[in-house]
Amino acid sequence: MNHSSRETDMKSGIDPTMIKKDFPILKKKMNGKPLIYLDSAATSQKPKEVIDAITEYYENYNANIHRGIYKIAETATEKYIESKRKLARFIGAGKFEEIIYVRNTTEAINLVALTWGMSNIKKGDRILISEMEHHSNIVPWQMLAKRKGAVLDYIKMDNNMEGLSEQSLREQIEKGPKMLAITHVSNVLGSINDVKRITKLAKKEGTTVLIDGAQSAPHMPVDVRAIGCDFFALSGHKMLGPTGIGALYGKTELLESMEPLFGGGDMIKSVAFDSYTPNDLPWKFEAGTSNIEGGIALGTAVDYLERIGMENIRGHEKELTAYALERLAKINGLKVFGYGRADIEKRGGVVSFSLDKIHPHDVSAVFDSFGIAIRAGHHCAMPLVRGIFKVGALSRMSFYLYNDKSDIDSAIDAIGSVKKVFKVK
Amino acid sequence: MPLDIYAEEIISQYEHPHNKGKLTKYDVEFHDENPICGDDITIYVKIEKEKIAQVSFEGQGCAISQAGASMLTDFVKGMSISDAKKIDYEKVKEILGLDPGPARMHCAVLSAKALAGALESYMKAHK
Ligand SMILES: Cc1ncc(COP(=O)(O)O)c(C=O)c1O
């Protein structure tokens, strides 16, 4: 890293060279080259303390939670609940009872579709999503609409294919959908939706609102009560936590009104031969033994993020994204999708691009040979990539707190090598 | 993945594929795609005396899938249906002259899968 870029990296209050040291994998090599990880939108890397939290649980207090009247079971239960308290505070929820642990964002959204949706959506009702959604915020609603004979509407992309069309947004919300499920940040474009304003519009129509926070919770301050949404879904593995743990936030009144999804142990207060009484929140939605290690380690991940500061992380990613956009703009035959540098406030740290005459898989493969991990494909947003952009696949790099400008410089160099391999000017 | 999957021959056939475009006369066509990458291919085959007389393809995809289709279609011209149907991943690697590795295997075999599909449907129709 040269001196000037080091200085700019420091401006955001983040020193990625220090942060990189906390992530064991970033000291490793890929294909003989130091790993440069630019695929955090798919999953983030984990700091040592998160990895250690898992080992520590198994080595020191492995026990099932709830009901155990002995010390290590108490410790496990406390730590598990404590992690929910941390996450609740982290996203601005009122209390830990509003945090349901699930496997990931996908499961959180499906939980809402299968419980709230099954009881509240009727034939002919409208469900509103947008054209920029991830498959996990499309398919559960397609399934629900099919089951119930409901109508699934889409908020259209704007003409520049950068964000949502304001006109379409207003028209669709005015139709009074029962449910609006929308992403906070697009995993393809990085576009940030003003979910607070959108929720306010929807609330005027009495619409229930779910925010897909898979790409926002890891990267910027989130306050679900300020947004005013009814549900908020996130994945632990994208925010420094382990895989297999994610969360659904729901407003207490709503969660209380919903039927449990799975039946079994822990989700009940009492069971008789002919009936059961569901447990209190949040346990009502967590049947069976939970992912205890995952919950606890997610709490550790939240500690880490809060220590660095979400404002700082957002600031750092904004700088990196602006820098990447500036450098990419100078490359012949390269097209970046989404908002430009002037609209950096509306853009998260995700940059998708295409290179003339070269397939994204070949781009990834050449990057790989230099130890650089980027993603190629439809990014689980086929309606957007195929239907709107009309391309088979895109290359995508995405940034996080451990990336720095030299990572982007390496990526730019790799693009030069891709062109050389393919003899493209 | 080492860069040697992008051998001269692969790049050159990717840039200038052989047998690309729809045949004017063919007996069977078959479309296949690869959901992981979004590569897609349509194979056209003209059969004479149980042999592949002409074969071509259309589609889009990465260098491995496109050069692979180009090389495969060259390779199978004049081959009997029964021999062509036997082309497996091992054979594809031989035709490509390299091992694309597990992450790119599906790119490499796409054209062979489509060809097998085409021959299968030809046989069904001409039983
Ligand atoms: C915007 C968005 N929503 C949902 C998901 C699904 O997350 P998960 O696979 O962890 O359920 C992703 C992950 O890529 C995403 O980017």
Side-chain angles (χ1 to χ4, degrees):
Chain A
M1 194 191 296
N2 65 37
H3 182 68
S4 67
S5 67
R6 173 64 182 274
E7 253 172 22
T8 353
D9 278 335
M10 298 292 286
K11 215 168 42 190
S12 61
I14 278 198
D15 182 356
T17 24
M18 288 307 290
I19 289 178
K20 269 182 204 277
K21 293 197 176 108
D22 296 335
F23 291 74
I25 202 168
L26 298 179
K27 296 176 193 121
K28 298 284 151 64
K29 293 194 165 166
M30 184 163 81
N31 294 318
K33 308 276 164 49
L35 172 63
I36 294 174
Y37 189 73
L38 295 174
D39 195 19
S40 294
T43 196
S44 73
Q45 295 303 345
K46 326 298 173 197
K48 180 83 164 56
E49 61 192 76
V50 168
I51 301 167
D52 286 348
I54 298 170
T55 315
E56 206 201 326
Y57 161 66
Y58 286 118
E59 288 186 352
N60 298 328
Y61 58 98
N62 173 44
N64 210 330
I65 51 174
H66 313 301
R67 295 173 315 278
I69 314 293
Y70 52 89
K71 183 67 194 156
I72 58 170
E74 276 170 14
T75 309
T77 308
E78 267 166 31
K79 291 243 189 193
Y80 187 75
I81 294 175
E82 183 56 29
S83 83
K84 291 199 181 211
R85 287 212 173 86
K86 288 176 186 169
L87 190 64
R89 195 179 57 230
F90 184 71
I91 63 167
K95 41 189 183 233
F96 85 87
E97 287 89 343
E98 294 182 321
I99 303 292
I100 318 279
Y101 275 163
V102 290
R103 282 184 302 147
N104 45 38
T105 302
T106 304
E107 187 171 308
I109 296 170
N110 275 279
L111 192 154
V112 174
L114 287 169
T115 55
W116 181 91
M118 286 303 279
S119 334
N120 290 280
I121 297 291
K122 312 227 153 37
K123 191 164 192 286
D125 281 350
R126 291 180 180 279
I127 301 166
L128 181 57
I129 61 176
S130 87
E131 287 181 342
M132 66 161 75
E133 300 308 313
H134 186 281
H135 294 164
S136 70
N137 198 31
I138 300 176
V139 184
W141 306 114
Q142 288 177 334
M143 290 163 77
L144 177 64
K146 195 169 161 201
R147 283 193 181 109
K148 293 290 186 172
V151 182
L152 184 61
D153 289 320
Y154 289 82
I155 302 167
K156 286 195 178 319
M157 292 296 293
D158 62 19
N159 291 335
N160 300 331
M161 301 190 295
E162 294 170 339
L164 296 176
S165 149
E166 184 60 25
Q167 192 193 342
S168 173
L169 174 83
R170 287 181 178 268
E171 278 171 10
Q172 290 295 349
I173 289 180
E174 272 164 25
K175 289 184 187 165
K178 273 271 176 72
M179 164 61 76
L180 166 62
I182 193 172
T183 193
H184 197 168
V185 177
S186 158
N187 67 308
V188 178
L189 296 168
S191 309
I192 302 171
N193 290 316
D194 186 351
V195 288
K196 187 172 170 184
R197 189 178 62 86
I198 295 172
T199 302
K200 211 164 161 194
L201 286 174
K203 282 291 158 198
K204 277 195 211 138
E205 306 293 332
T207 303
T208 299
V209 178
L210 177 145
I211 306 295
D212 173 350
Q215 298 294 347
S216 63
H219 301 283
M220 58 190 65
V222 165
D223 186 335
V224 290
R225 279 184 295 175
I227 294 168
C229 57
D230 299 288
F231 299 107
F232 188 94
L234 61 84
S235 292
H237 70 92
K238 293 187 200 281
M239 47 185 282
L240 311 185
T243 49
I245 189 82
L248 172 70
Y249 153 82
K251 280 186 184 156
T252 305
E253 321 81 84
L254 270 168
L255 292 176
E256 274 173 352
S257 75
M258 283 154 55
E259 292 289 324
L261 177 57
F262 295 121
D266 296 329
M267 55 72 65
I268 47 85
K269 225 172 232 168
S270 67
V271 181
F273 283 115
D274 56 358
S275 65
Y276 72 93
T277 313
N279 204 342
D280 295 333
L281 291 175
W283 316 117
K284 175 176 144 187
F285 292 102
E286 292 185 33
T289 299
S290 304
N291 178 357
I292 304 167
E293 57 162 79
I296 291 169
L298 178 55
T300 310
V302 167
D303 288 341
Y304 187 95
L305 289 170
E306 285 190 326
R307 211 162 59 232
I308 306 290
M310 294 311 291
E311 284 289 356
N312 288 333
I313 292 173
R314 169 69 185 135
H316 178 65
E317 290 181 17
K318 235 181 338 195
E319 277 178 37
L320 288 181
T321 307
Y323 181 67
L325 292 178
E326 180 193 331
R327 294 221 51 193
L328 290 168
K330 294 184 187 131
I331 297 176
N332 234 344
L334 187 142
K335 176 174 181 216
V336 173
F337 290 74
Y339 288 115
R341 275 217 298 159
D343 289 315
I344 202 73
E345 291 305 327
K346 292 195 249 178
R347 215 186 209 285
V350 178
V351 179
S352 288
F353 62 94
S354 63
L355 256 181
D356 253 3
K357 299 199 186 81
I358 307 175
H359 194 277
H361 279 99
D362 296 318
V363 176
S364 278
V366 175
F367 270 59
D368 176 44
S369 72
F370 291 104
I372 309 171
I374 64 164
R375 195 148 288 258
H378 49 61
H379 311 295
C380 292
M382 286 174 82
L384 178 66
V385 173
R386 302 274 162 82
I388 309 280
F389 299 158
K390 309 244 186 285
V391 293
L394 286 174
S395 298
R396 179 185 77 186
M397 27 184 180
S398 50
F399 315 126
Y400 210 178
L401 71 174
Y402 38 65
N403 292 117
D404 58 25
K405 288 186 178 169
S406 75
D407 294 342
I408 292 168
D409 293 339
S410 304
I412 302 290
D413 291 346
I415 292 172
S417 304
V418 173
K419 289 179 140 192
K420 221 176 268 157
V421 169
F422 281 86
K423 305 191 177 80
V424 173
K425 288 264 175 317
Chain B
M1 181 190 300
L3 268 184
D4 35 309
I5 61 162
Y6 295 115
E8 270 312 298
E9 191 56 22
I10 299 281
I11 301 293
S12 129
Q13 298 231 10
Y14 174 59
E15 286 174 334
H16 309 286
H18 307 170
N19 316 311
K20 189 146 184 188
K22 191 172 176 172
L23 290 177
T24 38
K25 277 193 184 157
Y26 55 88
D27 295 299
V28 59
E29 71 181 285
F30 193 85
H31 178 81
D32 203 354
E33 49 194 283
N34 169 348
I36 310 171
C37 327
D39 293 352
D40 76 271
I41 191 163
T42 307
I43 287 254
Y44 303 91
V45 193
K46 173 124 193 63
I47 308 273
E48 273 165 25
K49 298 195 190 112
E50 301 298 299
K51 279 190 175 155
I52 297 174
Q54 284 298 333
V55 56
S56 76
F57 74 99
E58 281 181 319
Q60 51 153 1
C62 67
I64 304 295
S65 82
Q66 296 297 294
S70 169
M71 290 161 139
L72 178 88
T73 45
D74 272 349
F75 184 81
V76 299
K77 259 183 228 169
M79 202 177 235
S80 72
I81 293 179
S82 60
D83 282 349
K85 273 180 61 192
K86 282 188 215 131
I87 293 174
D88 58 4
Y89 184 43
E90 289 310 310
K91 195 76 204 172
V92 167
K93 285 196 275 193
E94 237 175 73
I95 296 168
L96 283 171
L98 56 89
D99 182 350
R104 302 298 287 280
M105 175 179 140
H106 54 263
C107 313
V109 296
L110 182 62
S111 51
K113 265 181 61 203
L115 176 67
L119 297 176
E120 201 63 52
S121 75
Y122 175 85
M123 306 243 293
K124 253 193 216 141
H126 293 81
K127 244 194 251 162

